[in-house]
């Protein structure tokens, strides 16, 4: 027994030594304070109270705030706005006036939601100018915890499109009180303030970073010990103020519960019944979208603007950029043409349908260039039902894609359509590979194509900084899709060792992809370790508040090192 105990102690000491070598000292000191960390090899507790905890993932070297099991975020089934509302909560603490202006900018959108909420609740139709809608709008502005929620839901609307399910619970004060979200926000703010005053951290409602590291979080938009939150505190309900002030004074202890949070231990059976009998009251996004107009500017001035997955349906690009654009596929679903947009374009899955002639008669002249492909079974299935035939598409070296390229070049004459080609712009080499979808079932053939294409395009030039652009990601190692996503496939990994050797040999600095519709709120880029070096990965889908990502923010340091 003594020998086993000594071995166990030795194992723990080895783990602590390894942690001390890789984890910042301020975190290792916290890790040692929590006994449960001795049996947790990966997710270590750093800080916690009754309802939330901060954990450190030792494999990914990342920090994350998560609610503990008993606290319910929302009684609304399938409510997907938590991260947006947490971001809005932090922004409210930092910039309450900006949150109010954001809501006022969206007044017409909010009034539409209130009108639809009243209809879902009562069955009565009212218009935006009715007393009921005006009263509900004022209720939002008079209740800070609801105001935070509304700001978060408007952020979600701008990034992902119109909302439609259970609007009454989301937008009407009378119904929102029953959801428990106000209590969740109150406890989240208490924890965030307590945490920021206990450790040198930056918290933006989604990510948590150490203050002394080089990170993409903005100081102005992140809560830290340096933040002035007094203007926001005076607006919040007194019970919330007292809880946050208590968090400031007793930062290392569990904070007082101020509003009534929704707990599974008390309301578990009731929540189960609600979910069991839930009626979503939702309509298709395309149907809901017609109620709303875009209140944001469609123009950005990024010098190198990255955007993907626009899926434009009205025959024109919904954004304007007069500099260099990188369009990473799935741009059009409506035969768009644009004579002014310039840059490079790679082929996505939706382009394969969008470039086809809009006439049914296959013997007509517009179909001439497509005639050779009618002999392929995959092409016939693709024409009949693309959504059910995407996995049959050929790898990117097929002649079919060259015809797609020519069609896109005619519609976008200022764009270089890269169908397994390269382009030099501002001393950066961009390689565009045609990967419309992730061919997991034919991963070996796909990765052989990637390897052969890169070998050909890179040639003897091992020094020029190079960025690889494709619609679907090359493989999981260079993808922004999180492992927690339903779309994540653990089999889509790099299994061709020569690809990794190639990345080691050449000056490849990053990869850009689209395809997975990752909201901008999740993150726009990350740094990954692959082939013994750090690379950036960018995925910048289009949304009303995200008309593109400025790649120069990642390239500036590279250019400085090269000069």
């Amino acid at each position: 027994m003594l020998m086993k105990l000594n071995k166990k102690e030795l194992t723990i000491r080895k783990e602590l030594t390894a942690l001390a070598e890789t984890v910042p000292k301020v975190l290792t000191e916290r890790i040692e304070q929590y006994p449960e960390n001795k049996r947790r090899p990966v997710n270590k507790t750093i800080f916690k109270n009754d309802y939330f905890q901060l954990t450190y993932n030792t494999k990914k070297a990342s920090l994350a705030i998560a609610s503990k099991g008993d606290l319910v975020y929302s009684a609304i089934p399938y409510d997907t706005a938590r991260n947006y509302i947490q971001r809005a909560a932090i922004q409210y603490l930092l910039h309450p006036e900006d949150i109010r202006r954001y809501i006022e900018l969206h007044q017409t959108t909010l009034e539409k939601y209130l009108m639809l909420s009243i209809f879902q609740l009562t069955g009565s139709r009212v218009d935006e100018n009715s007393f009921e809608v005006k009263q509900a709008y004022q209720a939002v502005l008079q209740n800070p915890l609801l105001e935070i929620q509304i700001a978060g839901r408007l952020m979600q609307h701008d990034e992902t499109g119109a909302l439609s399910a259970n609007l009454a619970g989301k937008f009407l004060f009378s119904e929102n009180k029953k959801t428990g979200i106000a209590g969740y926000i109150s406890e989240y703010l208490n924890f965030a303030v307590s945490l920021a005053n206990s450790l040198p951290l930056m918290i933006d409602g989604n990510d948590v970073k150490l203050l002394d590291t080089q990170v993409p979080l903005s100081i102005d938009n992140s809560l830290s010990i340096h933040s002035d939150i007094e203007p926001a505190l005076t607006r919040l309900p007194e019970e919330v103020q007292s809880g946050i002030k208590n968090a400031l004074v007793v930062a290392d202890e569990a904070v007082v519960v101020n509003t009534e949070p929704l707990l599974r231990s008390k309301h578990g059976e009731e929540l189960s019944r609600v979910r069991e009998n839930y009626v979503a009251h939702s309509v298709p996004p395309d149907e809901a979208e017609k109620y709303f107009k875009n209140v944001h500017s469609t123009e950005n001035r990024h010098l190198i603007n990255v955007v993907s997955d626009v899926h434009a349906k009205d025959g024109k690009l919904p954004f304007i950029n007069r500099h260099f654009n990188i369009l990473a596929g799935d741009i059009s679903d409506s035969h768009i043409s644009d004579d002014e947009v310039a840059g490079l374009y790679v082929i996505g899955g939706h382009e394969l349908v969008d470039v086809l002639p809009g006439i049914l008669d296959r013997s007509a002249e517009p179909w001439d260039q497509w005639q050779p492909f009618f002999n392929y079974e995959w092409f016939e299935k693709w024409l009949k039902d693309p959504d059910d035939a995407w996995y049959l598409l050929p790898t990117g070296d097929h002649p079919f894609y060259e015809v797609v390229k020519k069609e896109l070049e005619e519609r976008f004459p200022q764009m270089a359509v890269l169908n397994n080609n390269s382009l030099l712009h501002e001393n950066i080499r961009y390689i565009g590979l045609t990967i419309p979808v992730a061919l997991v079932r034919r991963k070996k053939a796909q990765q052989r194509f990637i390897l052969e294409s890169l070998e050909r395009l890179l040639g003897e030039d091992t020094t020029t900084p190079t960025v690889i652009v494709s619609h679907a990601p090359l493989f999981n190692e260079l993808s922004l899709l999180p492992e927690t996503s339903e779309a994540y496939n653990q089999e889509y990994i790099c299994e061709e060792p020569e690809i990794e050797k190639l990345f080691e040999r050449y000056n490849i600095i990053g990869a850009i992809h689209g395809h997975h519709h990752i909201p901008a709120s999740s993150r726009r880029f990350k740094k990954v370790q692959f082939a013994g070096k750090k690379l950036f990965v960018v995925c910048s889908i289009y949304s009303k508040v995200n008309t593109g990502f400025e790649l120069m923010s990642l390239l500036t340091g590279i250019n400085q090192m090269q000069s």
Side-chain angles (χ1 to χ4, degrees), residues 41-89:
V42 179
N43 291 312
K44 305 287 188 180
T45 301
I46 303 295
F47 189 88
K48 66 180 180 179
N49 70 2
D50 287 345
Y51 300 117
F52 288 91
Q53 61 186 7
L54 175 73
T55 58
Y56 179 78
N57 186 300
T58 56
K59 287 186 176 180
K60 298 180 179 179
S62 62
L63 292 160
I65 294 174
S67 58
K68 293 161 75 174
D70 200 27
L71 180 64
V72 176
Y73 150 64
S74 171
I76 301 173
Y78 317 114
D79 190 344
T80 58
R82 183 189 333 216
N83 283 341
Y84 294 97
I85 290 173
Q86 288 177 180
R87 285 170 57 208

Side-chain angles (χ1 to χ4, degrees), residues 479-542:
S479 171
L480 216 60
L481 186 69
E483 294 181 22
T484 53
S485 169
E486 291 183 3
Y488 185 86
N489 189 319
Q490 62 182 2
E491 300 299 319
Y492 196 58
I493 58 174
C494 180
E495 290 189 347
E496 173 53 74
E498 293 301 318
I499 290 180
E500 196 160 351
K501 291 178 183 177
L502 181 142
F503 269 75
E504 291 174 357
R505 193 161 67 252
Y506 289 91
N507 189 16
I508 299 172
I509 60 174
I512 296 170
H513 74 86
H515 188 55
H516 286 301
H517 290 224
I518 302 166
S521 58
S522 296
R523 64 175 133 179
R524 311 280 284 282
F525 77 93
K526 68 177 178 180
K527 298 287 185 72
V528 300
Q529 196 79 22
F530 181 72
K533 65 173 78 171
K534 270 201 171 181
L535 309 172
F536 65 73
V537 180
V538 173
C539 179
S540 181
I541 69 165
Y542 168 81

Side-chain angles (χ1 to χ4, degrees), residues 456-491:
R456 173 176 59 83
L457 295 168
L458 290 165
E460 301 298 322
D461 182 358
T462 60
T463 59
T464 299
T466 300
V467 177
I468 301 172
V469 188
S470 58
H471 178 61
L474 302 176
F475 30 75
N476 287 344
E477 290 85 344
L478 297 179
S479 171
L480 216 60
L481 186 69
E483 294 181 22
T484 53
S485 169
E486 291 183 3
Y488 185 86
N489 189 319
Q490 62 182 2
E491 300 299 319

Side-chain angles (χ1 to χ4, degrees), residues 3 28 74 101 142 158 227 266 297 308 430 467 470 476 509 513:
M3 184 177 295
T28 56
S74 171
R101 280 192 290 270
Q142 292 165 6
D158 285 339
S227 301
K266 293 183 179 180
S297 171
S308 73
Y430 297 91
V467 177
S470 58
N476 287 344
I509 60 174
H513 74 86

